[in-house]
Amino acid sequence: MTFPAAGGTRVADHSPEAAVRANTARTSASASSKRPKIDTCATVAALEKVECLLWVGRCPSWRVASGQERRQCICAVASRFDLSRLPLDPFIIRHDFLHSPCCNPTSGTAHAIHRFADSAHLSDPFAFHAFRTHAPRAALVGRMKIPKRLAPLLDEGLIDEVIGQLMSGKEATVYVVRSGDSMRCAKVYKDAKQRSFRQAASYRDGRKVKNSRQARAMEKGTRYGRQMQEELWQNAEVDALFRLADGGVRVPQPYICTDGVLLMELVVDATGDVAPRLNDVHLTEARALELHALLLNQVVRMLCAGVIHGDLSEYNILLAADGPVIIDLPQAIDAAANNEAASMLKRDVDNLAAYFGRFAPQILGADYGTEIWALFEAGELKVDVKLTGRIELDTRPVDLDSVLQELEETRLDEDARVRRQQELSAN
Ligand SMILES: Nc1ncnc2c1ncn2[C@@H]1O[C@H](COP(=O)(O)OP(=O)(O)O)[C@@H](O)[C@H]1O
Ligand SMILES: [Mg+2]
């Protein structure tokens, strides 16, 4: 597809590289200023093909251009070309820098981009309403200053824009961000000093480190050890998310965990707004029974994947358009390696019963936690297990004689061991 060049004249070399050269030559002439200025006319002249819009974003001078310069350039491009003839491939005009990271969606840049989109009938990726429906209202008010911890992700192009802060808890601050045309959730972990109970040793039990040097450093609490501990903590959540998604558990789709930030799917409800927590909704008895059964099955699936949440409650379950989604897993524990696995599983299951029991009191009489753990220990837990909530009590008569004999044998063994030790130390 060919478009008229700027001013109706054709430039000799239309390649992006030529425009870069032209720009560089012009800007080096004004070497007194550190930042090369983008030359709007030269750039637009080189944009013979709309595909070059992609290139604009990659042009070195674009990267350092001010918002004003970018705006001028985009508006110039918009007015020069017949944008209604854009190919219906959003990727063609979608690139990391069209929406500059700190661009306010109501600014001239965004308007220019959305004018492109409208005239080219590119609805979804660029439609302005996407900002309204996919971001929480509060997040849209005012311009968001880029949080320091998210800056590296913007620099690396992992996210394009920070829409707003969703929540700041004791463990993490959660933001709504935009990556390309999708809204995502960025969870920024707080430093160890600021975190609360979940650093407790019981959660760390059974977590593996790469080598014994790291294990020793962590035990001693050296700086390196503390850094290892941090990494282990931050990676635990993304590891659990991948493992659970594989095991058929509905968790947010993880993308990456880097620089202490977990980038994952933003869980939304049927209207496209951020999904509410279970704690924020009211349920009928029938819905409570349905969700309770569904979540018990999720707990079973987690355990089949070897994971126990460790902090499961109505605060860490979101009610999405497609049902409940389990979140917040940095403390997730390894069911086979952690000594407190049984009690943690029981606590998670009891928390579910206490919450859903408010709407359906019959749930309160059952003991699903003990039942699930017993099946797991016996190696009989399956993802489609039918739970009853009742535990079969072992009513067989106890063989008291054999128990007493076992105790006596253990006592004799212990006496012999102590005697041997005393003899050794006497010699
Ligand atoms: N993937 C997500 N999608 C939508 N909202 C989320 C997501 N992850 C977290 N949140 C919101 O952020 C809050 C805090 O996140 P959470 O992972 O529970 O961290 P914390 O350790 O601070 O409790 C949640 O209660 C929820 O409202
Ligand atoms: Mg939480």
Side-chain angles (χ1 to χ4, degrees), residues 157-192:
L158 292 169
I159 60 177
D160 295 315
E161 189 175 1
V162 182
I163 304 292
Q165 183 179 312
L166 197 55
M167 199 78 86
S168 181
K170 283 185 178 161
E171 314 288 317
T173 306
V174 176
Y175 297 90
V176 177
V177 297
R178 184 178 61 76
S179 298
D181 49 12
S182 322
M183 289 298 169
R184 292 195 174 151
C185 175
K187 180 170 177 179
V188 179
Y189 296 101
K190 295 201 166 162
D191 292 337

PDB file of all heavy atoms in Angstrom, residues 157-192:
ATOM      1  N   GLY A 157       9.895  -2.421  28.258  1.00  0.00           N
ATOM      2  CA  GLY A 157       8.776  -2.618  27.330  1.00  0.00           C
ATOM      3  C   GLY A 157       7.817  -3.722  27.769  1.00  0.00           C
ATOM      4  O   GLY A 157       6.987  -4.169  26.979  1.00  0.00           O
ATOM      5  N   LEU A 158       7.947  -4.171  29.015  1.00  0.00           N
ATOM      6  CA  LEU A 158       7.028  -5.223  29.485  1.00  0.00           C
ATOM      7  C   LEU A 158       5.644  -4.644  29.741  1.00  0.00           C
ATOM      8  O   LEU A 158       4.641  -5.331  29.642  1.00  0.00           O
ATOM      9  CB  LEU A 158       7.554  -5.868  30.776  1.00  0.00           C
ATOM     10  CG  LEU A 158       8.815  -6.698  30.602  1.00  0.00           C
ATOM     11  CD1 LEU A 158       9.419  -7.076  31.941  1.00  0.00           C
ATOM     12  CD2 LEU A 158       8.481  -7.955  29.803  1.00  0.00           C
ATOM     13  N   ILE A 159       5.616  -3.373  30.137  1.00  0.00           N
ATOM     14  CA  ILE A 159       4.336  -2.683  30.259  1.00  0.00           C
ATOM     15  C   ILE A 159       4.447  -1.341  29.528  1.00  0.00           C
ATOM     16  O   ILE A 159       5.548  -0.821  29.355  1.00  0.00           O
ATOM     17  CB  ILE A 159       3.910  -2.471  31.738  1.00  0.00           C
ATOM     18  CG1 ILE A 159       4.929  -1.635  32.508  1.00  0.00           C
ATOM     19  CG2 ILE A 159       3.688  -3.783  32.434  1.00  0.00           C
ATOM     20  CD1 ILE A 159       4.517  -1.351  33.938  1.00  0.00           C
ATOM     21  N   ASP A 160       3.300  -0.836  29.115  1.00  0.00           N
ATOM     22  CA  ASP A 160       3.324   0.412  28.355  1.00  0.00           C
ATOM     23  C   ASP A 160       2.827   1.595  29.154  1.00  0.00           C
ATOM     24  O   ASP A 160       3.107   2.731  28.821  1.00  0.00           O
ATOM     25  CB  ASP A 160       2.448   0.275  27.107  1.00  0.00           C
ATOM     26  CG  ASP A 160       3.010  -0.761  26.168  1.00  0.00           C
ATOM     27  OD1 ASP A 160       4.222  -0.731  25.947  1.00  0.00           O
ATOM     28  OD2 ASP A 160       2.251  -1.618  25.694  1.00  0.00           O
ATOM     29  N   GLU A 161       2.035   1.314  30.191  1.00  0.00           N
ATOM     30  CA  GLU A 161       1.415   2.425  30.911  1.00  0.00           C
ATOM     31  C   GLU A 161       0.942   1.943  32.273  1.00  0.00           C
ATOM     32  O   GLU A 161       0.516   0.799  32.412  1.00  0.00           O
ATOM     33  CB  GLU A 161       0.219   2.892  30.090  1.00  0.00           C
ATOM     34  CG  GLU A 161      -0.403   4.163  30.572  1.00  0.00           C
ATOM     35  CD  GLU A 161      -1.516   4.610  29.615  1.00  0.00           C
ATOM     36  OE1 GLU A 161      -1.780   3.910  28.637  1.00  0.00           O
ATOM     37  OE2 GLU A 161      -2.102   5.662  29.889  1.00  0.00           O
ATOM     38  N   VAL A 162       1.059   2.816  33.249  1.00  0.00           N
ATOM     39  CA  VAL A 162       0.505   2.491  34.565  1.00  0.00           C
ATOM     40  C   VAL A 162      -0.823   3.229  34.674  1.00  0.00           C
ATOM     41  O   VAL A 162      -0.863   4.459  34.651  1.00  0.00           O
ATOM     42  CB  VAL A 162       1.456   2.927  35.695  1.00  0.00           C
ATOM     43  CG1 VAL A 162       0.880   2.546  37.055  1.00  0.00           C
ATOM     44  CG2 VAL A 162       2.826   2.294  35.513  1.00  0.00           C
ATOM     45  N   ILE A 163      -1.898   2.478  34.757  1.00  0.00           N
ATOM     46  CA  ILE A 163      -3.222   3.111  34.764  1.00  0.00           C
ATOM     47  C   ILE A 163      -3.572   3.628  36.160  1.00  0.00           C
ATOM     48  O   ILE A 163      -4.067   4.724  36.322  1.00  0.00           O
ATOM     49  CB  ILE A 163      -4.310   2.105  34.306  1.00  0.00           C
ATOM     50  CG1 ILE A 163      -3.974   1.542  32.929  1.00  0.00           C
ATOM     51  CG2 ILE A 163      -5.691   2.754  34.313  1.00  0.00           C
ATOM     52  CD1 ILE A 163      -4.045   2.540  31.803  1.00  0.00           C
ATOM     53  N   GLY A 164      -3.280   2.838  37.172  1.00  0.00           N
ATOM     54  CA  GLY A 164      -3.588   3.313  38.515  1.00  0.00           C
ATOM     55  C   GLY A 164      -3.311   2.260  39.566  1.00  0.00           C
ATOM     56  O   GLY A 164      -3.035   1.106  39.254  1.00  0.00           O
ATOM     57  N   GLN A 165      -3.374   2.703  40.817  1.00  0.00           N
ATOM     58  CA  GLN A 165      -3.124   1.770  41.928  1.00  0.00           C
ATOM     59  C   GLN A 165      -4.446   1.132  42.343  1.00  0.00           C
ATOM     60  O   GLN A 165      -5.455   1.814  42.477  1.00  0.00           O
ATOM     61  CB  GLN A 165      -2.515   2.526  43.095  1.00  0.00           C
ATOM     62  CG  GLN A 165      -2.157   1.623  44.255  1.00  0.00           C
ATOM     63  CD  GLN A 165      -1.538   2.386  45.397  1.00  0.00           C
ATOM     64  OE1 GLN A 165      -0.623   3.191  45.201  1.00  0.00           O
ATOM     65  NE2 GLN A 165      -2.035   2.160  46.592  1.00  0.00           N
ATOM     66  N   LEU A 166      -4.402  -0.173  42.539  1.00  0.00           N
ATOM     67  CA  LEU A 166      -5.620  -0.893  42.872  1.00  0.00           C
ATOM     68  C   LEU A 166      -5.733  -1.072  44.383  1.00  0.00           C
ATOM     69  O   LEU A 166      -6.795  -0.910  44.969  1.00  0.00           O
ATOM     70  CB  LEU A 166      -5.553  -2.265  42.185  1.00  0.00           C
ATOM     71  CG  LEU A 166      -6.821  -3.057  42.034  1.00  0.00           C
ATOM     72  CD1 LEU A 166      -7.871  -2.241  41.316  1.00  0.00           C
ATOM     73  CD2 LEU A 166      -6.523  -4.327  41.233  1.00  0.00           C
ATOM     74  N   MET A 167      -4.651  -1.411  44.988  1.00  0.00           N
ATOM     75  CA  MET A 167      -4.705  -1.784  46.400  1.00  0.00           C
ATOM     76  C   MET A 167      -3.300  -1.723  46.985  1.00  0.00           C
ATOM     77  O   MET A 167      -2.340  -2.061  46.310  1.00  0.00           O
ATOM     78  CB  MET A 167      -5.194  -3.239  46.438  1.00  0.00           C
ATOM     79  CG  MET A 167      -5.740  -3.711  47.734  1.00  0.00           C
ATOM     80  SD  MET A 167      -7.393  -3.134  48.043  1.00  0.00           S
ATOM     81  CE  MET A 167      -8.356  -4.379  47.225  1.00  0.00           C
ATOM     82  N   SER A 168      -3.204  -1.299  48.226  1.00  0.00           N
ATOM     83  CA  SER A 168      -1.905  -1.408  48.884  1.00  0.00           C
ATOM     84  C   SER A 168      -2.116  -2.106  50.200  1.00  0.00           C
ATOM     85  O   SER A 168      -2.788  -1.596  51.091  1.00  0.00           O
ATOM     86  CB  SER A 168      -1.294  -0.029  49.087  1.00  0.00           C
ATOM     87  OG  SER A 168      -0.032  -0.172  49.703  1.00  0.00           O
ATOM     88  N   GLY A 169      -1.595  -3.311  50.295  1.00  0.00           N
ATOM     89  CA  GLY A 169      -1.766  -4.089  51.522  1.00  0.00           C
ATOM     90  C   GLY A 169      -0.459  -4.172  52.283  1.00  0.00           C
ATOM     91  O   GLY A 169       0.475  -3.420  52.021  1.00  0.00           O
ATOM     92  N   LYS A 170      -0.420  -5.104  53.248  1.00  0.00           N
ATOM     93  CA  LYS A 170       0.782  -5.224  54.070  1.00  0.00           C
ATOM     94  C   LYS A 170       1.905  -5.909  53.301  1.00  0.00           C
ATOM     95  O   LYS A 170       3.067  -5.712  53.589  1.00  0.00           O
ATOM     96  CB  LYS A 170       0.462  -6.061  55.312  1.00  0.00           C
ATOM     97  CG  LYS A 170      -0.295  -5.264  56.352  1.00  0.00           C
ATOM     98  CD  LYS A 170      -0.472  -6.086  57.589  1.00  0.00           C
ATOM     99  CE  LYS A 170      -1.192  -5.278  58.647  1.00  0.00           C
ATOM    100  NZ  LYS A 170      -1.779  -6.118  59.674  1.00  0.00           N
ATOM    101  N   GLU A 171       1.512  -6.717  52.318  1.00  0.00           N
ATOM    102  CA  GLU A 171       2.521  -7.521  51.634  1.00  0.00           C
ATOM    103  C   GLU A 171       2.947  -6.930  50.288  1.00  0.00           C
ATOM    104  O   GLU A 171       4.060  -7.145  49.851  1.00  0.00           O
ATOM    105  CB  GLU A 171       1.976  -8.932  51.356  1.00  0.00           C
ATOM    106  CG  GLU A 171       1.269  -9.577  52.517  1.00  0.00           C
ATOM    107  CD  GLU A 171       2.235  -9.989  53.591  1.00  0.00           C
ATOM    108  OE1 GLU A 171       3.287 -10.540  53.237  1.00  0.00           O
ATOM    109  OE2 GLU A 171       1.953  -9.749  54.777  1.00  0.00           O
ATOM    110  N   ALA A 172       2.010  -6.221  49.650  1.00  0.00           N
ATOM    111  CA  ALA A 172       2.282  -5.792  48.280  1.00  0.00           C
ATOM    112  C   ALA A 172       1.403  -4.609  47.903  1.00  0.00           C
ATOM    113  O   ALA A 172       0.393  -4.351  48.549  1.00  0.00           O
ATOM    114  CB  ALA A 172       1.992  -6.954  47.332  1.00  0.00           C
ATOM    115  N   THR A 173       1.822  -3.904  46.844  1.00  0.00           N
ATOM    116  CA  THR A 173       0.967  -2.880  46.252  1.00  0.00           C
ATOM    117  C   THR A 173       0.615  -3.363  44.850  1.00  0.00           C
ATOM    118  O   THR A 173       1.484  -3.833  44.118  1.00  0.00           O
ATOM    119  CB  THR A 173       1.707  -1.529  46.179  1.00  0.00           C
ATOM    120  OG1 THR A 173       2.180  -1.224  47.492  1.00  0.00           O
ATOM    121  CG2 THR A 173       0.779  -0.417  45.733  1.00  0.00           C
ATOM    122  N   VAL A 174      -0.673  -3.268  44.528  1.00  0.00           N
ATOM    123  CA  VAL A 174      -1.127  -3.842  43.266  1.00  0.00           C
ATOM    124  C   VAL A 174      -1.581  -2.715  42.330  1.00  0.00           C
ATOM    125  O   VAL A 174      -2.323  -1.825  42.743  1.00  0.00           O
ATOM    126  CB  VAL A 174      -2.272  -4.837  43.540  1.00  0.00           C
ATOM    127  CG1 VAL A 174      -2.841  -5.382  42.248  1.00  0.00           C
ATOM    128  CG2 VAL A 174      -1.774  -5.981  44.422  1.00  0.00           C
ATOM    129  N   TYR A 175      -1.110  -2.751  41.076  1.00  0.00           N
ATOM    130  CA  TYR A 175      -1.445  -1.716  40.091  1.00  0.00           C
ATOM    131  C   TYR A 175      -2.146  -2.325  38.883  1.00  0.00           C
ATOM    132  O   TYR A 175      -1.908  -3.487  38.541  1.00  0.00           O
ATOM    133  CB  TYR A 175      -0.179  -1.027  39.580  1.00  0.00           C
ATOM    134  CG  TYR A 175       0.585  -0.285  40.644  1.00  0.00           C
ATOM    135  CD1 TYR A 175       1.575  -0.925  41.377  1.00  0.00           C
ATOM    136  CD2 TYR A 175       0.313   1.053  40.919  1.00  0.00           C
ATOM    137  CE1 TYR A 175       2.275  -0.253  42.371  1.00  0.00           C
ATOM    138  CE2 TYR A 175       1.010   1.733  41.899  1.00  0.00           C
ATOM    139  CZ  TYR A 175       1.991   1.073  42.627  1.00  0.00           C
ATOM    140  OH  TYR A 175       2.686   1.737  43.592  1.00  0.00           O
ATOM    141  N   VAL A 176      -2.981  -1.492  38.246  1.00  0.00           N
ATOM    142  CA  VAL A 176      -3.519  -1.857  36.940  1.00  0.00           C
ATOM    143  C   VAL A 176      -2.589  -1.223  35.918  1.00  0.00           C
ATOM    144  O   VAL A 176      -2.301  -0.025  35.998  1.00  0.00           O
ATOM    145  CB  VAL A 176      -4.941  -1.299  36.743  1.00  0.00           C
ATOM    146  CG1 VAL A 176      -5.448  -1.635  35.340  1.00  0.00           C
ATOM    147  CG2 VAL A 176      -5.879  -1.871  37.780  1.00  0.00           C
ATOM    148  N   VAL A 177      -2.096  -2.038  34.994  1.00  0.00           N
ATOM    149  CA  VAL A 177      -1.178  -1.513  33.983  1.00  0.00           C
ATOM    150  C   VAL A 177      -1.673  -1.942  32.607  1.00  0.00           C
ATOM    151  O   VAL A 177      -2.513  -2.833  32.502  1.00  0.00           O
ATOM    152  CB  VAL A 177       0.270  -2.039  34.192  1.00  0.00           C
ATOM    153  CG1 VAL A 177       0.828  -1.575  35.515  1.00  0.00           C
ATOM    154  CG2 VAL A 177       0.326  -3.555  34.084  1.00  0.00           C
ATOM    155  N   ARG A 178      -1.136  -1.293  31.603  1.00  0.00           N
ATOM    156  CA  ARG A 178      -1.500  -1.688  30.249  1.00  0.00           C
ATOM    157  C   ARG A 178      -0.271  -2.230  29.549  1.00  0.00           C
ATOM    158  O   ARG A 178       0.808  -1.645  29.615  1.00  0.00           O
ATOM    159  CB  ARG A 178      -2.031  -0.475  29.480  1.00  0.00           C
ATOM    160  CG  ARG A 178      -2.539  -0.819  28.080  1.00  0.00           C
ATOM    161  CD  ARG A 178      -3.092   0.418  27.385  1.00  0.00           C
ATOM    162  NE  ARG A 178      -2.084   1.453  27.226  1.00  0.00           N
ATOM    163  CZ  ARG A 178      -1.114   1.421  26.312  1.00  0.00           C
ATOM    164  NH1 ARG A 178      -1.030   0.424  25.480  1.00  0.00           N
ATOM    165  NH2 ARG A 178      -0.241   2.406  26.242  1.00  0.00           N
ATOM    166  N   SER A 179      -0.433  -3.401  28.946  1.00  0.00           N
ATOM    167  CA  SER A 179       0.643  -3.961  28.110  1.00  0.00           C
ATOM    168  C   SER A 179       0.049  -4.130  26.728  1.00  0.00           C
ATOM    169  O   SER A 179      -0.845  -4.952  26.546  1.00  0.00           O
ATOM    170  CB  SER A 179       1.077  -5.340  28.616  1.00  0.00           C
ATOM    171  OG  SER A 179       1.597  -5.259  29.901  1.00  0.00           O
ATOM    172  N   GLY A 180       0.513  -3.357  25.792  1.00  0.00           N
ATOM    173  CA  GLY A 180      -0.088  -3.411  24.456  1.00  0.00           C
ATOM    174  C   GLY A 180      -1.554  -3.056  24.568  1.00  0.00           C
ATOM    175  O   GLY A 180      -1.910  -2.017  25.111  1.00  0.00           O
ATOM    176  N   ASP A 181      -2.404  -3.960  24.105  1.00  0.00           N
ATOM    177  CA  ASP A 181      -3.832  -3.653  24.167  1.00  0.00           C
ATOM    178  C   ASP A 181      -4.532  -4.367  25.320  1.00  0.00           C
ATOM    179  O   ASP A 181      -5.745  -4.428  25.368  1.00  0.00           O
ATOM    180  CB  ASP A 181      -4.509  -3.992  22.826  1.00  0.00           C
ATOM    181  CG  ASP A 181      -4.147  -5.379  22.356  1.00  0.00           C
ATOM    182  OD1 ASP A 181      -3.580  -6.135  23.175  1.00  0.00           O
ATOM    183  OD2 ASP A 181      -4.416  -5.708  21.195  1.00  0.00           O
ATOM    184  N   SER A 182      -3.768  -4.942  26.252  1.00  0.00           N
ATOM    185  CA  SER A 182      -4.421  -5.646  27.379  1.00  0.00           C
ATOM    186  C   SER A 182      -4.153  -4.934  28.694  1.00  0.00           C
ATOM    187  O   SER A 182      -3.066  -4.406  28.914  1.00  0.00           O
ATOM    188  CB  SER A 182      -3.884  -7.062  27.537  1.00  0.00           C
ATOM    189  OG  SER A 182      -3.651  -7.642  26.318  1.00  0.00           O
ATOM    190  N   MET A 183      -5.174  -4.952  29.544  1.00  0.00           N
ATOM    191  CA  MET A 183      -4.992  -4.469  30.907  1.00  0.00           C
ATOM    192  C   MET A 183      -4.431  -5.619  31.735  1.00  0.00           C
ATOM    193  O   MET A 183      -4.906  -6.750  31.622  1.00  0.00           O
ATOM    194  CB  MET A 183      -6.328  -4.035  31.498  1.00  0.00           C
ATOM    195  CG  MET A 183      -6.854  -2.774  30.890  1.00  0.00           C
ATOM    196  SD  MET A 183      -5.716  -1.423  31.193  1.00  0.00           S
ATOM    197  CE  MET A 183      -6.406  -0.205  30.110  1.00  0.00           C
ATOM    198  N   ARG A 184      -3.442  -5.337  32.548  1.00  0.00           N
ATOM    199  CA  ARG A 184      -2.842  -6.385  33.373  1.00  0.00           C
ATOM    200  C   ARG A 184      -2.693  -5.891  34.798  1.00  0.00           C
ATOM    201  O   ARG A 184      -2.945  -4.731  35.105  1.00  0.00           O
ATOM    202  CB  ARG A 184      -1.481  -6.787  32.809  1.00  0.00           C
ATOM    203  CG  ARG A 184      -1.695  -7.477  31.491  1.00  0.00           C
ATOM    204  CD  ARG A 184      -0.506  -8.223  31.014  1.00  0.00           C
ATOM    205  NE  ARG A 184      -0.917  -8.937  29.815  1.00  0.00           N
ATOM    206  CZ  ARG A 184      -0.142  -9.255  28.806  1.00  0.00           C
ATOM    207  NH1 ARG A 184       1.126  -8.925  28.854  1.00  0.00           N
ATOM    208  NH2 ARG A 184      -0.601  -9.910  27.778  1.00  0.00           N
ATOM    209  N   CYS A 185      -2.274  -6.816  35.635  1.00  0.00           N
ATOM    210  CA  CYS A 185      -2.129  -6.500  37.045  1.00  0.00           C
ATOM    211  C   CYS A 185      -0.654  -6.632  37.398  1.00  0.00           C
ATOM    212  O   CYS A 185      -0.021  -7.641  37.059  1.00  0.00           O
ATOM    213  CB  CYS A 185      -2.980  -7.523  37.797  1.00  0.00           C
ATOM    214  SG  CYS A 185      -2.853  -7.409  39.544  1.00  0.00           S
ATOM    215  N   ALA A 186      -0.093  -5.601  38.033  1.00  0.00           N
ATOM    216  CA  ALA A 186       1.310  -5.665  38.452  1.00  0.00           C
ATOM    217  C   ALA A 186       1.350  -5.652  39.974  1.00  0.00           C
ATOM    218  O   ALA A 186       0.888  -4.695  40.598  1.00  0.00           O
ATOM    219  CB  ALA A 186       2.087  -4.489  37.886  1.00  0.00           C
ATOM    220  N   LYS A 187       1.865  -6.713  40.540  1.00  0.00           N
ATOM    221  CA  LYS A 187       1.930  -6.808  42.004  1.00  0.00           C
ATOM    222  C   LYS A 187       3.367  -6.526  42.427  1.00  0.00           C
ATOM    223  O   LYS A 187       4.281  -7.273  42.089  1.00  0.00           O
ATOM    224  CB  LYS A 187       1.492  -8.211  42.438  1.00  0.00           C
ATOM    225  CG  LYS A 187       1.513  -8.428  43.930  1.00  0.00           C
ATOM    226  CD  LYS A 187       0.836  -9.734  44.291  1.00  0.00           C
ATOM    227  CE  LYS A 187       0.908  -9.994  45.778  1.00  0.00           C
ATOM    228  NZ  LYS A 187       0.244 -11.228  46.163  1.00  0.00           N
ATOM    229  N   VAL A 188       3.529  -5.442  43.155  1.00  0.00           N
ATOM    230  CA  VAL A 188       4.866  -5.029  43.586  1.00  0.00           C
ATOM    231  C   VAL A 188       5.056  -5.489  45.030  1.00  0.00           C
ATOM    232  O   VAL A 188       4.352  -5.017  45.930  1.00  0.00           O
ATOM    233  CB  VAL A 188       5.014  -3.494  43.505  1.00  0.00           C
ATOM    234  CG1 VAL A 188       6.397  -3.061  43.967  1.00  0.00           C
ATOM    235  CG2 VAL A 188       4.742  -3.004  42.090  1.00  0.00           C
ATOM    236  N   TYR A 189       5.981  -6.407  45.246  1.00  0.00           N
ATOM    237  CA  TYR A 189       6.195  -6.925  46.606  1.00  0.00           C
ATOM    238  C   TYR A 189       6.877  -5.889  47.466  1.00  0.00           C
ATOM    239  O   TYR A 189       7.790  -5.196  47.015  1.00  0.00           O
ATOM    240  CB  TYR A 189       7.046  -8.194  46.557  1.00  0.00           C
ATOM    241  CG  TYR A 189       6.364  -9.317  45.843  1.00  0.00           C
ATOM    242  CD1 TYR A 189       6.686  -9.641  44.538  1.00  0.00           C
ATOM    243  CD2 TYR A 189       5.360 -10.046  46.464  1.00  0.00           C
ATOM    244  CE1 TYR A 189       6.033 -10.664  43.863  1.00  0.00           C
ATOM    245  CE2 TYR A 189       4.697 -11.066  45.803  1.00  0.00           C
ATOM    246  CZ  TYR A 189       5.048 -11.364  44.508  1.00  0.00           C
ATOM    247  OH  TYR A 189       4.393 -12.363  43.836  1.00  0.00           O
ATOM    248  N   LYS A 190       6.439  -5.824  48.702  1.00  0.00           N
ATOM    249  CA  LYS A 190       7.098  -4.895  49.623  1.00  0.00           C
ATOM    250  C   LYS A 190       8.382  -5.528  50.133  1.00  0.00           C
ATOM    251  O   LYS A 190       8.551  -6.741  50.071  1.00  0.00           O
ATOM    252  CB  LYS A 190       6.159  -4.575  50.777  1.00  0.00           C
ATOM    253  CG  LYS A 190       4.946  -3.835  50.269  1.00  0.00           C
ATOM    254  CD  LYS A 190       4.246  -3.065  51.337  1.00  0.00           C
ATOM    255  CE  LYS A 190       3.273  -2.113  50.661  1.00  0.00           C
ATOM    256  NZ  LYS A 190       2.257  -1.608  51.533  1.00  0.00           N
ATOM    257  N   ASP A 191       9.260  -4.681  50.668  1.00  0.00           N
ATOM    258  CA  ASP A 191      10.504  -5.206  51.227  1.00  0.00           C
ATOM    259  C   ASP A 191      10.192  -6.052  52.450  1.00  0.00           C
ATOM    260  O   ASP A 191       9.185  -5.841  53.125  1.00  0.00           O
ATOM    261  CB  ASP A 191      11.412  -4.045  51.651  1.00  0.00           C
ATOM    262  CG  ASP A 191      11.901  -3.299  50.418  1.00  0.00           C
ATOM    263  OD1 ASP A 191      11.908  -3.911  49.342  1.00  0.00           O
ATOM    264  OD2 ASP A 191      12.242  -2.114  50.556  1.00  0.00           O
ATOM    265  N   ALA A 192      11.111  -6.953  52.730  1.00  0.00           N
ATOM    266  CA  ALA A 192      10.909  -7.894  53.845  1.00  0.00           C
ATOM    267  C   ALA A 192      10.555  -7.163  55.141  1.00  0.00           C
ATOM    268  O   ALA A 192       9.693  -7.599  55.893  1.00  0.00           O
ATOM    269  CB  ALA A 192      12.166  -8.719  54.030  1.00  0.00           C
TER     270      ALA A 192
END
